[in-house]
Amino acid sequence: MSGTISGQEQRAAEQLNVDLIHGTEVMTDVGGAHFAKAGGRETGSVLVPHPSSSPNDPLNWSRPWKIIVAVSQLFYVWVLVCSALSIAPMFPFLGMEFHLDQQQLSLLTGLNVITLGFANIFIVPLANIFGRRPISIIFGFLVVLTNIWQALATSHRSLLAARACNGIVAATSETIMVQVIADMFFLHERGFWMGTYFTMYFSGAFLGPIMAGNIAARHGWRSFFWLTVALAAFSTVLLIFTFPETKYHRNSSAGTKTTSQNDEKILDSEANSELGAEQVGKGKPSKAQWLPVQKPDSRWKSFVIRDLTTPILVFFNPIVFWAALMLAGPADLLLIFNLTESGLLGSPAYGWSPGAVGYSNFAFFVGGIVGVATAGPLSDWVARRATIKNNGIREAEFRLPALIPFVCFFIISHVVGAVGYDRLWPWQAILVGGFGFSGLAVTAIPTIAIAYAVDCYKPISGEIMVVGTVMKNVLGFCLSYWVFDVHVTNGWTGVFMTQFAVSMLPVVLTVPLYYFGKSLRRWTKNSDLHRMEALI
């Protein structure tokens, strides 16, 4: 829903006797209220947000254009994450060259993770002021430079500084694609694309270590970073030619409609009616949207104030805080596996080489693919079925039951990590039940949770990801300090059960959220958060 509720939506809600607040959508024609639908079909999903009549509106771009834009940005995300989070299989080589202990090695990941999170506090306002396109391209070139620095590092201190700087400039991978999804796709499409985003994000962390371990074993650890230099340069150049600007200001009260019966004038956007469907799937980017540098938004001061303060304000919003924890839990469980795989599988109990340890990450990747193939479509299907039963009124909470099967796999992966690590289970059980199931959870659970939060507060989709990534990465940074100390005193069971306690808190809170989520949304229905879309 846009920042303001249209007159047409309000009339439909009154006829259905529904409290229409943000996150509650009218997904059917009611009386004289007719809405634009997917494919222009009467049976198609109502298009939310409602498209404008401009062919340059990203919501109206043709399917091929949307896929081109999404794929180029998703590849960019994959490359940035791959260069940032693939260092674990190279720990043995780095430890020998720089004489580092396990704590110092894990800090190479931890410092990168913490800068990845906090850098988005500044990246989101920059993307809102200058646009998604120029910020993605500029930061892409900066990633190239930091990867060169990592490849040339001659000391632990230099490598640590390079890792920190790389985290700062690679942070665009954590928020801009979520903004692009909100810019370019309708409500009924977001589940799938959010799942695809998380799969590409985490597959960078899955497949990157496979490449890193094998390249380091055969050609030296520096060769991996030279590969990431080439990949980052290619993905950035690709953005120049395939990624137009998706930030688009859509006037929600652009026109006046006159009824034929009583000449009554009703202030209502043409986008809220069937007229807005005429351009859907027929548009394309304009020349202005391809400019290398967008004219800074004249309201830049408002963006800076808004985007620096909003993450702090929304951090205390129960729905956003819950979604952030649902992102952090699976991601940090995967990080534990990532930090410990070399030590466990490379130990005398298993005797794996660094290259073989790298190949173990295929288990994460396969699990992640299963997650994206099921989570987005399942959550959209569950929500659609519930909407039909609810007389065409869609509540944001209708997505949440889709979490149930994925939470079951999430719990199993904790148990396998705890018991399997301590008792040295066969590697097949650890890779499938631990690595594979955590890979499934890390793409599926955040997909549904973040899509739910964006459904409730679409105007602040970027800020929602800032809160989520800061939460995820702060907890991840802490992991690099306590994991090995807890292992020494309490074994692997202590490590995984500590993470289990943190992860299960938001999972348990999902039950009351399903029943009382609309009440929470009602408390913020007059919040300025909903009017922020007028700025964008």
Side-chain angles (χ1 to χ4, degrees), residues 363-378:
F364 295 124
F365 179 70
V366 172
I369 292 298
V370 174
V372 72
T374 54
L378 178 62

Side-chain angles (χ1 to χ4, degrees), residues 179-210:
Q179 291 178 304
V180 170
I181 290 172
D183 292 339
M184 203 167 60
F185 293 105
F186 297 104
L187 177 67
H188 67 280
E189 301 172 314
R190 286 183 196 157
F192 170 79
W193 286 104
M194 202 70 76
T196 304
Y197 160 69
F198 279 114
T199 296
M200 291 301 291
Y201 180 94
F202 286 110
S203 69
F206 301 155
L207 299 181
I210 297 174

Side-chain angles (χ1 to χ4, degrees), residues 53-77:
S53 58
S54 171
N56 304 136
D57 185 342
L59 290 173
N60 289 332
W61 288 351
S62 67
R63 195 70 178 170
W65 267 117
K66 289 187 177 184
I67 291 174
I68 289 170
V69 172
V71 168
S72 64
Q73 182 64 220
L74 288 168
F75 179 67
Y76 171 80
V77 166

Side-chain angles (χ1 to χ4, degrees), residues 325 328-330 332-334 336 410-411 413-415 417-419 422 475-476 478-506:
L325 288 176
D332 290 334
L333 173 64
L334 186 142
I336 290 178
F410 187 38
I411 293 172
S413 64
H414 282 91
V415 175
V419 182
D422 267 340
L475 292 176
C478 295
L479 280 178
S480 64
Y481 279 99
W482 66 258
V483 163
F484 296 103
D485 291 339
V486 172
H487 169 238
V488 170
T489 56
N490 298 297
W492 291 117
T493 299
V495 170
F496 283 95
M497 288 301 100
T498 300
Q499 181 60 34
F500 180 78
V502 175
S503 299
M504 287 301 107
L505 173 63

